[in-house]
Amino acid sequence: MNETSFSDLTPTFFLQTFVLELMHAAEQQGKTHSEELIEYIARTAGRFFEETYREERNIKDALELESYIELIVGLKNKIGGGFSLVSADSQCVRVKNSCCPFGEGVTHFPELCRMTSSVFGGIAARNFGYAKVEIAKSIARKDGGCDVSVYLNEEEAKGRPGLEYGHRNSEEGEKDMTDLHSRIEESMQKIWRLKSPRPTKKQPPVIVAKSPVMQKVLQAIEKIAPTVATVLIQGETGVGKELVARAIHAMSWRSGQAFMAINCGAIPDTLIESALFGHEKGAFTGAVEIQQGVFERADGGTLFLDEVDSLSAAAQTRLLRVVQEGELERVGGKKTIEVDVRLISATNQDLQERVEQGLFRKDLFYRLNVVRLSIPPLAQRGEDFPYLVQVILKRLGEKYNKTVLSVSRGVMQKIRAYHWPGNVRELENVLERAVLFVSGSEITQLDLEMPSPEAVGDNWRDIKEGVVADAERNFLQASLRQHRGDVKKVAAAMDLTPRAVYGKLKKYGMDAGQFRVNPGLDVDG
């Protein structure tokens, strides 16, 4: 904000600053206040701009396609955008831009993209009867530009992401998502109350899903939960894979039964089989009595296996039998025990890659990978930050008996700019340290090591390497999407060996498995 001097102040910069400060103030007023504010401004302003355009051109009837394009592109460009038309027909209008009317500060408030969506969609729906707005790329999400498609035909829009307007308007879509979120939260809290009947300061777990990618996860949970399908959850450490597994259990018909969770990577290889399948007395040194494993204790309910990729070869073999046959034998035992368990596994690795490397059984992978659900990293969930911060601050306030209501705008900008390699878990730890040392009701300092501008480097070699890396990363992502995660095809397209492609995937923190749709039903979050 202070990078522009007072003498350089312009009406556009003033309005950009005013809107961004207004958004920060709205963040502090509650979880839905900022969204309601954005929607209200977009709805009323869109009508005003359309009426102004009509009066100036003396248009009484519904806008023609050419007039609609002239209105939305001209509207954005007159307030500092860089919009241009990419393509247009009776099915879809696609526009792109190179700069945002809200300025670079929009990266701190990606939810402002909702305003563009509602203005474009609202005007289109009033004139063509229906619209769905898909924002494929956005400056707010640091994509380098915006790519917006306005679908005017419901059949053409079917299956595409975005907000709908018209006879199924965005308010109804938002209400549907709010209702779904409420149902999932209520189901999880019901189980929490049964688990903890006595009063406790601990808050029940909640899933924050204001970002489009996390809303897709909620929709996937609703579809997956009522089935008996085995689920494989993929995602980086700390994104909340166990929380999603608990939500699937809570929304299933097994919710009245046990939910058992075990981290396979935290148990030594010598004990993992006993932990999973139990053991008989005398099975090994120290086995002084019969011990049930988690499969038996979860009978009738749900078993969550985290870090399933770390299982030993012997444990994988035993697990395959349970998954296939629904029966097991305790370590050292000869009696077959039948179990009825819904299995949900999780990994932060590419299991397909581990299969190709001979580190994971192919037949077990296919059994676990019936439905694959990918949880996006926190860095891709910009719209969730204000709500996550509020939930965490409330929990920490009750834990430490402190009243910490908010974070300053500078701190929120820092939170949005940081890459969060530890995801939600890291955010919780950072905020906990801040709450411990803050003296007032607002956090104004945050212990985060931000990359310094000097770290980028100002010599030609650094700049060139950075450009090449960005291009390579973008090509990899596009090629993975095109070939649906087939590393061999990606390698052929890049004239590399599959081994070299795996090395680049590791370098850029990318997971080929998230782009695959087969085997199994792939529900990408």
Side-chain angles (χ1 to χ4, degrees):
M1 179 175 168
N2 55 9
E3 292 177 1
T4 300
S5 65
F6 185 77
S7 60
D8 294 329
L9 185 63
T10 64
T12 299
F13 180 72
F14 170 81
L15 290 174
Q16 288 175 351
T17 303
F18 187 87
V19 170
L20 295 176
E21 290 296 338
L22 183 64
M23 286 303 303
H24 176 68
E27 280 182 342
Q28 312 299 328
Q29 299 302 312
K31 292 185 178 181
T32 60
H33 192 75
S34 57
E35 288 182 340
E36 291 172 352
L37 179 64
I38 292 170
E39 187 61 37
Y40 178 79
I41 293 172
R43 191 167 57 247
T44 55
R47 287 184 180 276
F48 170 78
F49 293 132
E50 182 183 347
E51 290 170 5
T52 303
Y53 178 86
R54 286 175 172 279
E55 288 177 7
E56 185 176 291
R57 288 159 176 75
N58 196 27
I59 298 175
K60 304 294 183 184
D61 299 326
L63 296 178
E64 299 288 340
L65 186 63
E66 293 77 9
S67 297
Y68 170 72
I69 295 168
E70 182 185 38
L71 170 55
I72 63 171
V73 172
L75 170 63
K76 287 292 184 178
N77 288 341
K78 287 179 184 296
I79 59 172
F83 276 81
S84 60
L85 179 66
V86 176
S87 61
D89 55 35
S90 60
Q91 309 293 313
C92 177
V93 175
R94 183 182 167 205
V95 295
K96 65 179 181 179
N97 79 332
S98 54
C99 58
C100 180
F102 298 112
E104 289 302 313
V106 74
T107 57
H108 304 307
F109 299 101
E111 52 268 39
L112 278 170
C113 294
R114 174 73 175 270
M115 198 174 289
T116 294
S117 176
S118 294
V119 170
F120 285 12
I123 295 173
R126 284 192 292 274
N127 289 277
F128 307 109
Y130 171 86
K132 176 183 273 191
V133 180
E134 176 189 4
I135 302 179
K137 293 182 180 179
S138 124
I139 292 171
R141 296 196 295 263
K142 302 180 181 179
D143 295 329
C146 294
D147 191 331
V148 184
S149 294
V150 184
Y151 296 96
L152 307 176
N153 181 290
E154 189 168 6
E155 284 301 313
E156 181 70 17
K158 190 173 293 183
R160 298 182 182 274
L163 293 174
E164 289 186 296
Y165 303 84
H167 61 278
R168 293 176 62 199
N169 59 42
S170 59
E171 290 182 8
E172 291 175 348
E174 182 68 18
K175 182 177 183 299
D176 290 343
M177 184 54 64
T178 301
D179 289 346
L180 171 58
H181 198 179
S182 297
R183 291 198 304 275
I184 292 175
E185 198 165 289
E186 184 179 339
S187 298
M188 294 178 72
Q189 289 184 357
K190 181 179 179 182
I191 293 176
W192 178 264
R193 289 192 293 268
L194 291 173
K195 178 184 173 184
S196 306
R198 292 181 297 176
T200 176
K201 277 193 171 185
K202 291 184 68 177
Q203 293 294 310
V206 296
I207 297 178
V208 173
K210 294 298 181 180
S211 59
V213 288
M214 280 306 293
Q215 289 181 352
K216 286 176 66 178
V217 171
L218 290 190
Q219 292 168 336
I221 289 171
E222 184 182 40
K223 293 177 183 176
I224 293 169
T227 73
V228 296
T230 302
V231 182
L232 177 63
I233 302 176
Q234 289 186 302
E236 296 177 2
T237 299
V239 293
K241 296 187 288 293
E242 182 174 338
L243 191 59
V244 171
R246 288 183 181 276
I248 294 172
H249 171 72
M251 293 287 285
S252 74
W253 54 268
R254 296 177 181 265
S255 60
Q257 304 299 318
F259 175 90
M260 300 293 299
I262 185 170
N263 188 325
C264 302
I267 301 174
D269 287 346
T270 53
L271 298 178
I272 187 65
E273 290 184 62
S274 174
L276 291 174
F277 313 111
H279 61 255
E280 296 288 343
K281 181 178 180 181
F284 50 82
T285 303
V288 295
E289 59 183 2
I290 295 174
Q291 179 71 50
Q292 287 187 332
V294 288
F295 267 99
E296 285 185 76
R297 286 182 279 150
D299 191 26
T302 303
L303 176 59
F304 175 64
L305 299 181
D306 199 4
E307 296 190 29
V308 69
D309 54 278
S310 65
L311 287 176
S312 65
Q316 290 179 37
T317 302
R318 281 180 173 269
L319 178 58
L320 178 63
R321 180 186 176 190
V322 181
V323 176
Q324 286 185 155
E325 309 297 338
E327 59 185 32
L328 59 85
E329 288 180 4
R330 296 180 186 140
V331 176
K334 298 180 180 180
K335 178 183 176 183
T336 298
I337 301 171
E338 292 187 359
V339 288
D340 174 22
V341 174
R342 169 73 172 285
L343 187 62
I344 302 177
S345 304
T347 177
N348 57 14
Q349 304 289 320
D350 182 350
L351 274 191
Q352 178 76 55
E353 180 182 342
R354 292 183 70 81
V355 169
E356 293 170 0
Q357 294 172 345
L359 300 175
F360 201 85
R361 290 186 63 123
K362 181 184 293 187
D363 45 6
L364 177 58
F365 169 68
Y366 290 142
R367 289 288 183 176
L368 299 181
N369 192 41
V370 176
V371 176
R372 180 166 55 225
L373 179 58
S374 298
I375 312 300
L378 183 57
Q380 296 178 13
R381 299 162 51 185
E383 296 89 342
D384 291 342
F385 279 120
Y387 307 95
L388 277 169
V389 169
Q390 287 182 352
V391 168
I392 294 169
L393 288 183
K394 182 180 179 183
R395 186 181 302 152
L396 293 173
E398 294 185 359
K399 178 179 179 180
Y400 293 109
N401 197 26
K402 298 184 74 170
T403 305
V404 183
L405 303 176
S406 62
V407 299
S408 68
R409 181 182 174 186
V411 167
M412 183 58 75
Q413 289 178 351
K414 211 172 181 182
I415 288 172
R416 289 184 186 275
Y418 187 61
H419 59 293
W420 297 108
N423 293 290
V424 180
R425 192 174 300 147
E426 184 182 7
L427 176 62
E428 290 174 337
N429 292 340
V430 168
L431 287 175
E432 185 165 8
R433 287 198 298 271
V435 167
L436 283 172
F437 291 101
V438 74
S439 55
S441 62
E442 182 179 75
I443 296 174
T444 58
Q445 299 290 329
L446 206 61
D447 183 18
L448 276 180
E449 291 188 12
M450 305 296 291
S452 63
E454 292 78 11
V456 178
D458 56 1
N459 60 66
W460 170 241
R461 178 180 293 179
D462 290 337
I463 294 172
K464 184 170 67 173
E465 288 178 356
V467 170
V468 171
D470 287 344
E472 188 173 60
R473 185 189 298 109
N474 292 337
F475 186 89
L476 257 178
Q477 191 171 32
S479 190
L480 284 166
R481 188 176 293 111
Q482 178 184 349
H483 298 298
R484 299 194 174 189
D486 190 324
V487 173
K488 291 182 179 178
K489 291 182 179 178
V490 173
M494 298 182 71
D495 196 22
L496 296 170
T497 65
R499 186 186 189 96
V501 172
Y502 280 124
K504 293 184 183 297
L505 292 176
K506 184 176 182 181
K507 173 183 175 182
Y508 297 121
M510 299 169 68
D511 179 8
Q514 293 185 359
F515 295 87
R516 296 191 184 102
V517 294
N518 284 307
L521 173 63
D522 190 11
V523 188
D524 188 8

